[in-house]
Each structure stands twice: as structure tokens, then as C-alpha cells.
Amino acid sequence: MKFIHTADLHIGKIVCEHSMLDEQRHILARILEAVDSEKPDAVLIAGDVYDKPVPSAEAVAVLDDFLVELAARKVRTFVLSGNHDSAERIAFGGRLMEKSGVHVSLVYDGKFAPVTLSDGEGEVDVWMLPFVRPVNVRACLAGDDERDAVKDYTSAVKAAIAQMHFTPGRRNVLIAHQFVTGAERSESEENVGGLDNVDATVFAAFDYVALGHIHKPQNVLKGDDGTVRARYSGTPLKYSLSEAVHKKSLTVVELGASANAVDVAGDLFAGKAFADGGMRAALQIREIPLVPLHDVREIRGTFAEIVSPEFRNAQVAAGNKLDDFVYVKLTDENDVPDAAQKLRGIYPNLMMLAYDNERTRNQADVGIAEAVDEKKPMELFGEFFEGRNGRAMNAEETEFVQDLINGIWGDNG
């Protein structure tokens, strides 16, 4: 069975005050071309379909056009809600869309029903786990002991997966939107101080896990035989300068015959993970490169160098376009009057202008370089409060902030 896996479309995103809708229309058209060429059994969209919980009318229209085109091709499509999406808005109209082969994730309620697909090798159950926080999972558990066991994102996702009851002999594919420990982040992703980490072993019961949330394509879980079992497809477009070096692509997943054709007793069919990955179906993964309408890159040099005909000709000769999304770093020691306006005459999609010289380096706050990702929200807010007020929070203030954090992240602050 063949899948095309993508994620993090972020339809409606604005980068440096520049709407990305035209870029997104272009790249969605390239995805449709890949669907026409590959003829997959299903397309998996692993969350962050929109960039905002309440998307613009234009963003909704772009997604609507894309789903209509996929439905017209008779390809099954799975649309998962991510942390940028409103789960309720993604779920709206789901029962109607199912009739056209478009399956959208429901608002998380602790209950799961897979969509079963068939090929010459048998049946494949496709499961959808929308983005969840520990507080969401605890609210759907019946017993106090079960709720108490959910202390972080790993235990929350593990508890959610335990509610997925596998059918013996079937292959199982999961679509999820979480941050797996060890994955490499980019600047354009949300972060909660490292608290949202999920250990990859919670996904070990599945033949393949189509992940979203991280913008760089990467593998995060392999079985004993070295076969990739969980992967981030990455975004189809570059959404920050930190992604300039990324090679954006679609992931093509070809799932072979099941290694679990004989009933196996134990945790696998209870929906629980093996630490060693267990037996899994044959699997092959490859990438289809995606070429954007405009690339993202950095230009560095003095103002005179960057605007010179020689510099421009060298860029074109190297295959770069002058209308790419460029982030300019000027090395002039003195600010250039109206530099941004002058640069836009040559580079119309100038995204950001900054200086890198002795003055700016001396102004840099070296204290910012601490490992923020490893700190909990309570620590980060405490440092912020003390920096603003010149004193630490008192007991009453600490309790108030802790209650707020618990309400958002569920006792993980």
C-alpha cells in the first residue's frame, strides 16, 4: 500500500508581513502533480493544516480547493489537526467529507475508530491522533489511577494509544502531531520549554507513524532491522531563515506484507508499545523533492557589494533568483540611509534587513544563550518576572502563576 505523507501546511501563514498564500497554492499544485504521478492509496496530512485556529477566508478557500482536487482523484485523504489548528474547525463536516474519501480528525475524546484500507496484501488500519496535551488525555480517563499516571507528554500519548485496539493480522499506520524527543526543531515551530517531548518508543506498535510538528524532514524511530518506522515529512515550504538549508519534500511510504499475519498474544494487539519495536510489515520510504515558487536564502555583505551588478549577475549564474525571499545581513559599520527601500528595488521580496558589525556584536546580550529549551515554564516566567521587577515572586504570586501554568500544560510547569 502506498501513502504520500506531508504535514505542516500552515495555510494562511504570514512571514515577515508577507502572505504565503501564493507560495502555498503553488506547492499544493506540485503535491497534486505528485499524486497524479505516484497514484497513492492515500494522502496523509499530519497536522497544522492552517497557521491559526481561526484561519482567514482565503486560507479556508485554498484548503477547500486542495481537498476537492484530491477527492476528484479518488484518493483517500486524511487531515489531522495540529497545535496551530482548531480541532473543532478541522472536525466540522467530517461525516459529510467521508463520503468523498476525505477523513478529518475528530476532537479528542479518548475514543478511536480506525479507517480500514485494503490492498493485495490485506487490510491496513489508519489511526488518527490529533495534537494532545496531558490535560486533554486526563480529562478522558475514567479512573484516578489512570489520570495520576499521566504526568507528561510521553505518558499522555502512551495512554491515548492504549485506547487503540488493534485487530490481529492487520497492519497499522498512525498519523500524529507531537514533538518526538531528539527531533531537530526550526525557528518557526512553537516550543514550551521542552515540556512537549514525547519518547519515540510509545509509537513502537505501529508499522508506520506519519508525524507532523517538526519542519525539517527526518526519521525518529527505526526498528531492529533498521527500517524507519516513524518520520517527520517536514513542511512543504520554508517558513523561516533557519529552514533555508532544508531540502523540502514529500515522503512516499510503501507498506508491504504484514509480518503479523499470525495472531500474536500480548501487548501488540492491546495497542501498547514494545521497547524493541516487535515484528512489523515490510516498509520502503523515499522522498519527492518540492521546488518552491521562491526560495528562502540569506545574502551577506556590504551594501555596495550587494547592489553591484557583479554580485547580482553572480547570483543569477549560481541559479538563484533575485525575487527569492531574502534575508539581508549588511556588514557596513554605519547604517545605510533608506537601505531597505533601496534593496527592494533589486530584491522585491526582501524579508528582513539586519546589520552584523562591531557595534551590533557589542550590543548582543550574551546571557540569552542559555539553554531555554531545557527550562520549565515556571522557571522561565520566574526569570522574566525578576528581570522586570528587580525581585523574585512572593509565595502568593508563585502560586497564582503555577495555577495558570497547570491549567495550560497540566501540572508540567
Side-chain angles (χ1 to χ4, degrees), residues 322-371:
L322 298 183
D323 63 350
D324 282 340
F325 295 125
V326 296
Y327 292 72
V328 174
K329 274 278 181 71
L330 293 181
T331 57
D332 302 83
E333 285 300 328
N334 297 311
D335 290 359
V336 178
D338 300 320
Q341 182 178 350
K342 294 173 182 175
L343 286 169
R344 283 196 176 93
I346 301 170
Y347 306 100
N349 289 321
L350 174 68
M351 302 297 276
M352 185 176 293
L353 170 64
Y355 284 86
D356 183 14
N357 52 35
E358 185 176 356
R359 171 176 54 83
T360 58
R361 287 190 291 271
N362 288 338
Q363 290 175 348
D365 183 4
V366 295
I368 295 176
E370 295 182 12

Side-chain angles (χ1 to χ4, degrees), residues 191-195 197 370-377 379-380:
N191 185 8
V192 291
L195 286 178
N197 291 13
E370 295 182 12
V372 173
D373 284 2
E374 299 176 1
K375 295 185 178 182
K376 292 190 173 185
E379 295 177 76
L380 294 171

Side-chain angles (χ1 to χ4, degrees), residues 225-341:
D225 60 355
T227 301
V228 172
R229 294 299 174 185
R231 174 177 170 81
Y232 287 105
S233 65
T235 58
L237 285 169
K238 301 174 182 180
Y239 287 130
S240 69
L241 182 59
S242 67
E243 298 177 47
V245 297
H246 292 183
K247 303 297 182 182
K248 298 301 185 180
S249 63
L250 297 172
T251 296
V252 179
V253 182
E254 296 190 60
L255 194 62
S258 173
N260 299 315
V262 179
D263 287 1
V264 179
D267 284 342
L268 177 59
F269 298 127
K272 298 177 183 177
F274 289 122
D276 62 1
M279 295 187 299
R280 297 294 173 267
L283 186 73
Q284 291 185 336
I285 289 176
R286 54 189 168 86
E287 294 178 305
I288 299 176
L290 289 173
V291 179
L293 193 59
H294 300 96
D295 204 357
V296 174
R297 57 195 179 89
E298 182 180 67
I299 296 177
R300 183 185 181 88
T302 65
F303 180 83
E305 290 170 343
I306 288 174
V307 300
S308 68
E310 295 80 11
F311 188 89
R312 284 179 276 170
N313 293 336
Q315 288 185 79
V316 174
N320 296 317
K321 298 188 295 184
L322 298 183
D323 63 350
D324 282 340
F325 295 125
V326 296
Y327 292 72
V328 174
K329 274 278 181 71
L330 293 181
T331 57
D332 302 83
E333 285 300 328
N334 297 311
D335 290 359
V336 178
D338 300 320
Q341 182 178 350

Side-chain angles (χ1 to χ4, degrees), residues 67-81:
L67 296 180
V68 166
E69 290 292 336
L70 287 170
R73 288 162 169 77
K74 306 298 182 184
V75 60
R76 302 289 278 273
T77 302
F78 294 81
V79 182
L80 190 78
S81 61

